Amino acid sequence: MSSRFLPYETIVTDAVLSLDEDTVLSTTEVDFAFTVWQSFPERIVGYPARSHFWDSNKERWGYTSKWTNDYSMVLTGAAMFHRYYHYLYTHYLPTSLKNMVDQLANCEDILMNFLVSAVTKLPPIKITQKKQYKETMMGQSSRASRWADPDHFAQRQTCMNKFASWFGAMPLVHSQMRLDPVLFKDQVSILRKKYRDIERL
């Protein structure tokens, strides 16, 4: 799982577009993500967002995939970030955390969010609500989709606390900001909008 973040020499651009094999993005969405990333090159910019919270009853960190206005992570299944984070992920993070990710085949996206937020002290950037992404995930068979697997979710909870312990604190930062294209959903002629196709998704 961690091999997706190796600093391959063939990557010569500063921006890295990270996609899962089942992610569906239009060229318009990729173009908009890159435009936003150019203004925030130190952050993860992307579509599917998740959040963390402190569970006072269990006295541990929790992970939630509920679709709310509040988030602290942007999943690397559909995101853009600077290639420098490949170097940090590979050479700065301890082997124990990367081995945990590889053994579970899970949590590499959470670990990358921990790393970036620890470096920047800032939250990631969520862009236009990816309704299609949500429907794609929800439409998969519950047996086939790892997202519907309770063990998968429990593993991510465990990862959150293991990572926070190594970092010495919780580096993730909450945000409610979402960036949309200019005139997004506004009642004006579609011809005035640069990213016209995003509204039709």
Side-chain angles (χ1 to χ4, degrees):
M1 297 298 287
S2 293
S3 63
R4 74 183 296 170
F5 298 137
L6 287 174
Y8 295 106
E9 292 182 359
T10 51
I11 301 176
V12 296
T13 58
D14 286 338
V16 174
L17 175 63
S18 177
L19 298 173
D20 283 349
E21 69 278 3
D22 56 354
T23 300
V24 179
L25 286 182
S26 68
T27 54
T28 300
E29 290 169 304
V30 173
D31 181 56
F32 178 62
F34 179 63
T35 299
V36 173
W37 178 85
Q38 287 178 302
S39 296
F40 303 95
E42 75 283 8
R43 305 204 217 179
I44 297 177
V45 173
Y47 292 96
R50 299 292 185 266
S51 189
H52 74 287
F53 63 94
W54 177 253
D55 189 330
S56 56
N57 293 325
K58 298 180 179 180
E59 295 188 343
R60 66 197 304 263
W61 293 106
Y63 169 91
T64 178
S65 58
K66 292 182 179 179
W67 284 63
T68 65
N69 291 328
D70 186 272
Y71 67 93
S72 57
M73 293 172 278
V74 165
L75 304 188
T76 55
M80 193 167 290
F81 49 82
H82 199 286
R83 65 174 175 167
Y84 178 59
Y85 292 122
H86 280 184
Y87 176 84
L88 289 182
Y89 188 101
T90 302
H91 298 291
Y92 172 72
L93 294 177
T95 301
S96 60
L97 294 189
K98 289 179 287 188
N99 284 344
M100 177 183 182
V101 164
D102 292 335
Q103 289 169 6
L104 294 175
N106 195 352
C107 303
E108 80 287 351
D109 50 356
I110 296 177
L111 184 53
M112 178 59 87
N113 273 271
F114 267 68
L115 174 63
V116 176
S117 289
V119 170
T120 64
K121 304 297 189 293
L122 296 168
I125 301 290
K126 177 175 172 54
I127 49 183
T128 306
Q129 185 75 25
K130 196 67 180 63
K131 185 171 183 289
Q132 184 187 45
Y133 186 92
K134 178 181 180 182
E135 290 174 345
T136 298
M137 299 307 300
M138 295 297 288
Q140 294 180 356
S141 166
S142 59
R143 293 180 182 272
S145 176
R146 62 177 183 165
W147 301 98
D149 184 355
D151 290 336
H152 175 82
F153 190 83
Q155 287 174 352
R156 293 173 81 77
Q157 300 270 21
T158 300
C159 288
M160 292 280 295
N161 289 277
K162 183 72 173 181
F163 299 162
S165 176
W166 185 83
F167 278 91
M170 172 53 72
L172 298 178
V173 180
H174 284 281
S175 177
Q176 293 184 342
M177 182 175 74
R178 189 186 87 189
L179 299 184
D180 297 332
V182 174
L183 301 178
F184 181 71
K185 296 294 186 180
D186 283 1
Q187 298 300 313
V188 299
S189 171
I190 195 71
L191 299 177
R192 295 180 59 190
K193 303 180 181 184
K194 179 178 180 181
Y195 299 100
R196 305 166 191 172
D197 294 338
I198 291 181
E199 295 191 29
R200 300 192 180 105
L201 298 176

mmCIF file of all heavy atoms in Angstrom, residues 137-176:
data_model
loop_
_atom_site.group_PDB
_atom_site.id
_atom_site.type_symbol
_atom_site.label_atom_id
_atom_site.label_comp_id
_atom_site.label_asym_id
_atom_site.label_seq_id
_atom_site.Cartn_x
_atom_site.Cartn_y
_atom_site.Cartn_z
ATOM 1 N N MET A 137 -19.474 4.756 -4.615
ATOM 2 C CA MET A 137 -19.097 3.936 -3.473
ATOM 3 C C MET A 137 -20.313 3.267 -2.846
ATOM 4 O O MET A 137 -20.293 2.100 -2.494
ATOM 5 C CB MET A 137 -18.381 4.780 -2.423
ATOM 6 C CG MET A 137 -17.094 5.432 -2.909
ATOM 7 S SD MET A 137 -15.932 4.278 -3.659
ATOM 8 C CE MET A 137 -15.647 3.167 -2.290
ATOM 9 N N MET A 138 -21.402 4.025 -2.726
ATOM 10 C CA MET A 138 -22.602 3.486 -2.110
ATOM 11 C C MET A 138 -23.254 2.437 -2.993
ATOM 12 O O MET A 138 -23.957 1.549 -2.533
ATOM 13 C CB MET A 138 -23.600 4.625 -1.838
ATOM 14 C CG MET A 138 -23.110 5.642 -0.828
ATOM 15 S SD MET A 138 -22.829 4.951 0.816
ATOM 16 C CE MET A 138 -24.515 4.676 1.337
ATOM 17 N N GLY A 139 -23.030 2.547 -4.302
ATOM 18 C CA GLY A 139 -23.661 1.634 -5.234
ATOM 19 C C GLY A 139 -22.962 0.297 -5.339
ATOM 20 O O GLY A 139 -23.490 -0.651 -5.909
ATOM 21 N N GLN A 140 -21.782 0.151 -4.777
ATOM 22 C CA GLN A 140 -21.071 -1.105 -4.829
ATOM 23 C C GLN A 140 -21.708 -2.113 -3.891
ATOM 24 O O GLN A 140 -22.340 -1.770 -2.905
ATOM 25 C CB GLN A 140 -19.603 -0.899 -4.450
ATOM 26 C CG GLN A 140 -18.833 -0.054 -5.437
ATOM 27 C CD GLN A 140 -17.382 0.118 -4.993
ATOM 28 O OE1 GLN A 140 -16.997 -0.335 -3.934
ATOM 29 N NE2 GLN A 140 -16.603 0.788 -5.816
ATOM 30 N N SER A 141 -21.528 -3.374 -4.213
ATOM 31 C CA SER A 141 -22.041 -4.442 -3.365
ATOM 32 C C SER A 141 -21.421 -4.346 -1.980
ATOM 33 O O SER A 141 -20.215 -4.158 -1.841
ATOM 34 C CB SER A 141 -21.701 -5.806 -3.981
ATOM 35 O OG SER A 141 -21.900 -6.841 -3.044
ATOM 36 N N SER A 142 -22.246 -4.475 -0.942
ATOM 37 C CA SER A 142 -21.735 -4.368 0.418
ATOM 38 C C SER A 142 -20.731 -5.474 0.718
ATOM 39 O O SER A 142 -19.837 -5.317 1.548
ATOM 40 C CB SER A 142 -22.884 -4.426 1.432
ATOM 41 O OG SER A 142 -23.593 -5.646 1.304
ATOM 42 N N ARG A 143 -20.852 -6.611 0.035
ATOM 43 C CA ARG A 143 -19.914 -7.705 0.244
ATOM 44 C C ARG A 143 -18.585 -7.426 -0.437
ATOM 45 O O ARG A 143 -17.531 -7.809 0.045
ATOM 46 C CB ARG A 143 -20.494 -9.022 -0.295
ATOM 47 C CG ARG A 143 -21.706 -9.527 0.487
ATOM 48 C CD ARG A 143 -22.233 -10.829 -0.105
ATOM 49 N NE ARG A 143 -23.421 -11.302 0.610
ATOM 50 C CZ ARG A 143 -23.364 -12.085 1.673
ATOM 51 N NH1 ARG A 143 -22.185 -12.469 2.149
ATOM 52 N NH2 ARG A 143 -24.454 -12.486 2.276
ATOM 53 N N ALA A 144 -18.667 -6.748 -1.574
ATOM 54 C CA ALA A 144 -17.464 -6.506 -2.358
ATOM 55 C C ALA A 144 -16.740 -5.239 -1.934
ATOM 56 O O ALA A 144 -15.542 -5.106 -2.123
ATOM 57 C CB ALA A 144 -17.822 -6.428 -3.850
ATOM 58 N N SER A 145 -17.473 -4.307 -1.371
ATOM 59 C CA SER A 145 -16.867 -3.015 -1.041
ATOM 60 C C SER A 145 -16.210 -3.048 0.329
ATOM 61 O O SER A 145 -16.835 -3.334 1.338
ATOM 62 C CB SER A 145 -17.932 -1.913 -1.069
ATOM 63 O OG SER A 145 -17.364 -0.694 -0.651
ATOM 64 N N ARG A 146 -14.928 -2.722 0.373
ATOM 65 C CA ARG A 146 -14.225 -2.691 1.647
ATOM 66 C C ARG A 146 -14.746 -1.588 2.538
ATOM 67 O O ARG A 146 -14.605 -1.629 3.750
ATOM 68 C CB ARG A 146 -12.724 -2.525 1.424
ATOM 69 C CG ARG A 146 -12.340 -1.240 0.732
ATOM 70 C CD ARG A 146 -10.836 -1.098 0.608
ATOM 71 N NE ARG A 146 -10.465 0.172 0.007
ATOM 72 C CZ ARG A 146 -9.241 0.662 0.037
ATOM 73 N NH1 ARG A 146 -8.277 0.012 0.646
ATOM 74 N NH2 ARG A 146 -8.964 1.818 -0.536
ATOM 75 N N TRP A 147 -15.379 -0.557 1.917
ATOM 76 C CA TRP A 147 -15.890 0.565 2.699
ATOM 77 C C TRP A 147 -17.058 0.136 3.588
ATOM 78 O O TRP A 147 -17.350 0.770 4.592
ATOM 79 C CB TRP A 147 -16.334 1.699 1.773
ATOM 80 C CG TRP A 147 -15.222 2.180 0.909
ATOM 81 C CD1 TRP A 147 -14.962 1.828 -0.387
ATOM 82 C CD2 TRP A 147 -14.172 3.091 1.275
ATOM 83 N NE1 TRP A 147 -13.829 2.455 -0.838
ATOM 84 C CE2 TRP A 147 -13.332 3.235 0.142
ATOM 85 C CE3 TRP A 147 -13.884 3.796 2.436
ATOM 86 C CZ2 TRP A 147 -12.204 4.062 0.161
ATOM 87 C CZ3 TRP A 147 -12.768 4.613 2.453
ATOM 88 C CH2 TRP A 147 -11.946 4.744 1.320
ATOM 89 N N ALA A 148 -17.724 -0.945 3.202
ATOM 90 C CA ALA A 148 -18.863 -1.420 3.991
ATOM 91 C C ALA A 148 -18.439 -2.485 5.003
ATOM 92 O O ALA A 148 -19.258 -2.980 5.765
ATOM 93 C CB ALA A 148 -19.939 -1.986 3.067
ATOM 94 N N ASP A 149 -17.175 -2.838 5.019
ATOM 95 C CA ASP A 149 -16.647 -3.872 5.900
ATOM 96 C C ASP A 149 -16.369 -3.283 7.281
ATOM 97 O O ASP A 149 -15.546 -2.387 7.416
ATOM 98 C CB ASP A 149 -15.368 -4.444 5.287
ATOM 99 C CG ASP A 149 -14.805 -5.592 6.108
ATOM 100 O OD1 ASP A 149 -15.354 -5.873 7.197
ATOM 101 O OD2 ASP A 149 -13.821 -6.208 5.658
ATOM 102 N N PRO A 150 -17.042 -3.786 8.334
ATOM 103 C CA PRO A 150 -16.813 -3.241 9.685
ATOM 104 C C PRO A 150 -15.370 -3.416 10.145
ATOM 105 O O PRO A 150 -14.857 -2.606 10.914
ATOM 106 C CB PRO A 150 -17.791 -4.031 10.561
ATOM 107 C CG PRO A 150 -18.139 -5.252 9.765
ATOM 108 C CD PRO A 150 -18.076 -4.838 8.339
ATOM 109 N N ASP A 151 -14.701 -4.485 9.702
ATOM 110 C CA ASP A 151 -13.302 -4.687 10.072
ATOM 111 C C ASP A 151 -12.421 -3.600 9.467
ATOM 112 O O ASP A 151 -11.462 -3.136 10.083
ATOM 113 C CB ASP A 151 -12.811 -6.068 9.609
ATOM 114 C CG ASP A 151 -13.444 -7.202 10.399
ATOM 115 O OD1 ASP A 151 -13.873 -6.955 11.544
ATOM 116 O OD2 ASP A 151 -13.508 -8.324 9.871
ATOM 117 N N HIS A 152 -12.757 -3.213 8.233
ATOM 118 C CA HIS A 152 -12.013 -2.147 7.562
ATOM 119 C C HIS A 152 -12.127 -0.847 8.355
ATOM 120 O O HIS A 152 -11.133 -0.151 8.572
ATOM 121 C CB HIS A 152 -12.576 -1.948 6.149
ATOM 122 C CG HIS A 152 -11.974 -0.810 5.400
ATOM 123 N ND1 HIS A 152 -10.779 -0.903 4.729
ATOM 124 C CD2 HIS A 152 -12.393 0.478 5.223
ATOM 125 C CE1 HIS A 152 -10.487 0.256 4.164
ATOM 126 N NE2 HIS A 152 -11.446 1.108 4.450
ATOM 127 N N PHE A 153 -13.325 -0.551 8.818
ATOM 128 C CA PHE A 153 -13.565 0.670 9.589
ATOM 129 C C PHE A 153 -12.840 0.600 10.932
ATOM 130 O O PHE A 153 -12.234 1.576 11.379
ATOM 131 C CB PHE A 153 -15.067 0.861 9.793
ATOM 132 C CG PHE A 153 -15.436 2.206 10.354
ATOM 133 C CD1 PHE A 153 -15.554 3.313 9.529
ATOM 134 C CD2 PHE A 153 -15.666 2.370 11.719
ATOM 135 C CE1 PHE A 153 -15.897 4.559 10.041
ATOM 136 C CE2 PHE A 153 -16.003 3.612 12.235
ATOM 137 C CZ PHE A 153 -16.123 4.701 11.398
ATOM 138 N N ALA A 154 -12.891 -0.563 11.587
ATOM 139 C CA ALA A 154 -12.224 -0.734 12.889
ATOM 140 C C ALA A 154 -10.711 -0.572 12.742
ATOM 141 O O ALA A 154 -10.051 -0.005 13.618
ATOM 142 C CB ALA A 154 -12.553 -2.106 13.468
ATOM 143 N N GLN A 155 -10.179 -1.058 11.632
ATOM 144 C CA GLN A 155 -8.747 -0.913 11.377
ATOM 145 C C GLN A 155 -8.362 0.561 11.271
ATOM 146 O O GLN A 155 -7.321 0.984 11.783
ATOM 147 C CB GLN A 155 -8.360 -1.635 10.093
ATOM 148 C CG GLN A 155 -8.356 -3.143 10.196
ATOM 149 C CD GLN A 155 -8.105 -3.808 8.857
ATOM 150 O OE1 GLN A 155 -8.073 -3.153 7.813
ATOM 151 N NE2 GLN A 155 -7.929 -5.115 8.870
ATOM 152 N N ARG A 156 -9.214 1.329 10.638
ATOM 153 C CA ARG A 156 -8.927 2.750 10.461
ATOM 154 C C ARG A 156 -8.973 3.489 11.803
ATOM 155 O O ARG A 156 -8.218 4.430 12.037
ATOM 156 C CB ARG A 156 -9.885 3.360 9.429
ATOM 157 C CG ARG A 156 -9.620 2.796 8.037
ATOM 158 C CD ARG A 156 -10.630 3.236 7.002
ATOM 159 N NE ARG A 156 -10.388 4.575 6.459
ATOM 160 C CZ ARG A 156 -9.463 4.855 5.553
ATOM 161 N NH1 ARG A 156 -8.661 3.914 5.099
ATOM 162 N NH2 ARG A 156 -9.336 6.086 5.084
ATOM 163 N N GLN A 157 -9.852 3.055 12.691
ATOM 164 C CA GLN A 157 -9.882 3.625 14.042
ATOM 165 C C GLN A 157 -8.563 3.325 14.768
ATOM 166 O O GLN A 157 -7.970 4.197 15.420
ATOM 167 C CB GLN A 157 -11.038 3.005 14.846
ATOM 168 C CG GLN A 157 -12.416 3.212 14.262
ATOM 169 C CD GLN A 157 -13.093 4.486 14.768
ATOM 170 O OE1 GLN A 157 -12.442 5.404 15.232
ATOM 171 N NE2 GLN A 157 -14.396 4.537 14.644
ATOM 172 N N THR A 158 -8.096 2.084 14.634
ATOM 173 C CA THR A 158 -6.845 1.691 15.268
ATOM 174 C C THR A 158 -5.673 2.481 14.699
ATOM 175 O O THR A 158 -4.790 2.941 15.441
ATOM 176 C CB THR A 158 -6.600 0.176 15.071
ATOM 177 O OG1 THR A 158 -7.671 -0.559 15.655
ATOM 178 C CG2 THR A 158 -5.279 -0.252 15.702
ATOM 179 N N CYS A 159 -5.676 2.651 13.388
ATOM 180 C CA CYS A 159 -4.614 3.419 12.723
ATOM 181 C C CYS A 159 -4.552 4.841 13.265
ATOM 182 O O CYS A 159 -3.459 5.371 13.533
ATOM 183 C CB CYS A 159 -4.850 3.460 11.215
ATOM 184 S SG CYS A 159 -4.549 1.905 10.350
ATOM 185 N N MET A 160 -5.704 5.464 13.415
ATOM 186 C CA MET A 160 -5.764 6.842 13.895
ATOM 187 C C MET A 160 -4.995 6.983 15.215
ATOM 188 O O MET A 160 -4.194 7.911 15.392
ATOM 189 C CB MET A 160 -7.219 7.262 14.119
ATOM 190 C CG MET A 160 -8.053 7.400 12.867
ATOM 191 S SD MET A 160 -7.781 8.953 12.007
ATOM 192 C CE MET A 160 -8.392 10.112 13.204
ATOM 193 N N ASN A 161 -5.237 6.063 16.134
ATOM 194 C CA ASN A 161 -4.627 6.164 17.452
ATOM 195 C C ASN A 161 -3.153 5.778 17.442
ATOM 196 O O ASN A 161 -2.347 6.372 18.161
ATOM 197 C CB ASN A 161 -5.413 5.294 18.443
ATOM 198 C CG ASN A 161 -6.774 5.883 18.763
ATOM 199 O OD1 ASN A 161 -6.891 6.748 19.619
ATOM 200 N ND2 ASN A 161 -7.796 5.451 18.056
ATOM 201 N N LYS A 162 -2.793 4.802 16.614
ATOM 202 C CA LYS A 162 -1.384 4.418 16.477
ATOM 203 C C LYS A 162 -0.584 5.581 15.888
ATOM 204 O O LYS A 162 0.508 5.906 16.369
ATOM 205 C CB LYS A 162 -1.282 3.202 15.565
ATOM 206 C CG LYS A 162 0.132 2.661 15.401
ATOM 207 C CD LYS A 162 0.615 1.969 16.658
ATOM 208 C CE LYS A 162 1.950 1.284 16.420
ATOM 209 N NZ LYS A 162 2.446 0.577 17.617
ATOM 210 N N PHE A 163 -1.129 6.215 14.870
ATOM 211 C CA PHE A 163 -0.435 7.337 14.238
ATOM 212 C C PHE A 163 -0.300 8.516 15.196
ATOM 213 O O PHE A 163 0.751 9.147 15.289
ATOM 214 C CB PHE A 163 -1.166 7.769 12.967
ATOM 215 C CG PHE A 163 -1.259 6.714 11.898
ATOM 216 C CD1 PHE A 163 -2.192 6.834 10.874
ATOM 217 C CD2 PHE A 163 -0.436 5.597 11.915
ATOM 218 C CE1 PHE A 163 -2.280 5.871 9.878
ATOM 219 C CE2 PHE A 163 -0.525 4.613 10.930
ATOM 220 C CZ PHE A 163 -1.455 4.759 9.904
ATOM 221 N N ALA A 164 -1.404 8.828 15.902
ATOM 222 C CA ALA A 164 -1.387 9.955 16.834
ATOM 223 C C ALA A 164 -0.353 9.727 17.935
ATOM 224 O O ALA A 164 0.328 10.653 18.382
ATOM 225 C CB ALA A 164 -2.772 10.162 17.444
ATOM 226 N N SER A 165 -0.207 8.468 18.358
ATOM 227 C CA SER A 165 0.767 8.134 19.397
ATOM 228 C C SER A 165 2.188 8.390 18.897
ATOM 229 O O SER A 165 3.013 8.961 19.626
ATOM 230 C CB SER A 165 0.612 6.659 19.794
ATOM 231 O OG SER A 165 1.597 6.281 20.731
ATOM 232 N N TRP A 166 2.470 8.003 17.651
ATOM 233 C CA TRP A 166 3.821 8.216 17.136
ATOM 234 C C TRP A 166 4.126 9.697 16.938
ATOM 235 O O TRP A 166 5.217 10.172 17.260
ATOM 236 C CB TRP A 166 4.023 7.478 15.807
ATOM 237 C CG TRP A 166 5.433 7.597 15.321
ATOM 238 C CD1 TRP A 166 6.498 6.835 15.691
ATOM 239 C CD2 TRP A 166 5.944 8.598 14.418
ATOM 240 N NE1 TRP A 166 7.642 7.280 15.073
ATOM 241 C CE2 TRP A 166 7.342 8.352 14.291
ATOM 242 C CE3 TRP A 166 5.375 9.650 13.714
ATOM 243 C CZ2 TRP A 166 8.152 9.144 13.471
ATOM 244 C CZ3 TRP A 166 6.187 10.443 12.905
ATOM 245 C CH2 TRP A 166 7.559 10.184 12.793
ATOM 246 N N PHE A 167 3.148 10.455 16.434
ATOM 247 C CA PHE A 167 3.360 11.881 16.206
ATOM 248 C C PHE A 167 3.405 12.660 17.523
ATOM 249 O O PHE A 167 3.837 13.812 17.547
ATOM 250 C CB PHE A 167 2.254 12.453 15.306
ATOM 251 C CG PHE A 167 2.492 12.225 13.837
ATOM 252 C CD1 PHE A 167 2.004 11.090 13.210
ATOM 253 C CD2 PHE A 167 3.216 13.134 13.068
ATOM 254 C CE1 PHE A 167 2.223 10.862 11.853
ATOM 255 C CE2 PHE A 167 3.444 12.922 11.716
ATOM 256 C CZ PHE A 167 2.955 11.773 11.108
ATOM 257 N N GLY A 168 2.931 12.063 18.587
ATOM 258 C CA GLY A 168 2.982 12.715 19.887
ATOM 259 C C GLY A 168 1.811 13.633 20.159
ATOM 260 O O GLY A 168 1.687 14.189 21.253
ATOM 261 N N ALA A 169 0.952 13.790 19.188
ATOM 262 C CA ALA A 169 -0.245 14.637 19.298
ATOM 263 C C ALA A 169 -1.091 14.383 18.061
ATOM 264 O O ALA A 169 -0.661 13.687 17.143
ATOM 265 C CB ALA A 169 0.129 16.112 19.397
ATOM 266 N N MET A 170 -2.277 14.955 18.047
ATOM 267 C CA MET A 170 -3.143 14.823 16.884
ATOM 268 C C MET A 170 -2.851 15.974 15.924
ATOM 269 O O MET A 170 -3.213 17.123 16.189
ATOM 270 C CB MET A 170 -4.620 14.838 17.296
ATOM 271 C CG MET A 170 -5.593 14.907 16.120
ATOM 272 S SD MET A 170 -5.336 13.652 14.847
ATOM 273 C CE MET A 170 -5.908 12.181 15.702
ATOM 274 N N PRO A 171 -2.200 15.714 14.785
ATOM 275 C CA PRO A 171 -1.846 16.797 13.864
ATOM 276 C C PRO A 171 -2.985 17.253 12.957
ATOM 277 O O PRO A 171 -2.917 18.346 12.388
ATOM 278 C CB PRO A 171 -0.718 16.184 13.028
ATOM 279 C CG PRO A 171 -1.041 14.723 13.001
ATOM 280 C CD PRO A 171 -1.633 14.426 14.350
ATOM 281 N N LEU A 172 -4.018 16.413 12.811
ATOM 282 C CA LEU A 172 -5.106 16.765 11.901
ATOM 283 C C LEU A 172 -5.827 18.024 12.353
ATOM 284 O O LEU A 172 -6.044 18.232 13.550
ATOM 285 C CB LEU A 172 -6.105 15.609 11.789
ATOM 286 C CG LEU A 172 -5.572 14.288 11.222
ATOM 287 C CD1 LEU A 172 -6.675 13.236 11.225
ATOM 288 C CD2 LEU A 172 -5.011 14.491 9.824
ATOM 289 N N VAL A 173 -6.211 18.856 11.386
ATOM 290 C CA VAL A 173 -6.880 20.132 11.665
ATOM 291 C C VAL A 173 -8.238 20.138 10.979
ATOM 292 O O VAL A 173 -8.344 19.823 9.788
ATOM 293 C CB VAL A 173 -6.037 21.322 11.143
ATOM 294 C CG1 VAL A 173 -6.731 22.643 11.442
ATOM 295 C CG2 VAL A 173 -4.644 21.286 11.742
ATOM 296 N N HIS A 174 -9.268 20.500 11.729
ATOM 297 C CA HIS A 174 -10.621 20.546 11.163
ATOM 298 C C HIS A 174 -10.818 21.774 10.275
ATOM 299 O O HIS A 174 -10.218 22.831 10.491
ATOM 300 C CB HIS A 174 -11.669 20.568 12.278
ATOM 301 C CG HIS A 174 -11.882 19.237 12.923
ATOM 302 N ND1 HIS A 174 -12.648 18.254 12.358
ATOM 303 C CD2 HIS A 174 -11.415 18.717 14.090
ATOM 304 C CE1 HIS A 174 -12.663 17.190 13.138
ATOM 305 N NE2 HIS A 174 -11.918 17.442 14.199
ATOM 306 N N SER A 175 -11.690 21.620 9.295
ATOM 307 C CA SER A 175 -12.029 22.727 8.404
ATOM 308 C C SER A 175 -13.460 22.559 7.921
ATOM 309 O O SER A 175 -13.992 21.447 7.891
ATOM 310 C CB SER A 175 -11.080 22.753 7.200
ATOM 311 O OG SER A 175 -11.448 23.786 6.292
ATOM 312 N N GLN A 176 -14.066 23.669 7.555
ATOM 313 C CA GLN A 176 -15.401 23.649 6.950
ATOM 314 C C GLN A 176 -15.386 24.334 5.583
ATOM 315 O O GLN A 176 -16.434 24.568 4.997
ATOM 316 C CB GLN A 176 -16.417 24.330 7.866
ATOM 317 C CG GLN A 176 -16.665 23.585 9.166
ATOM 318 C CD GLN A 176 -17.758 24.228 10.013
ATOM 319 O OE1 GLN A 176 -18.116 25.387 9.820
ATOM 320 N NE2 GLN A 176 -18.295 23.468 10.946
#
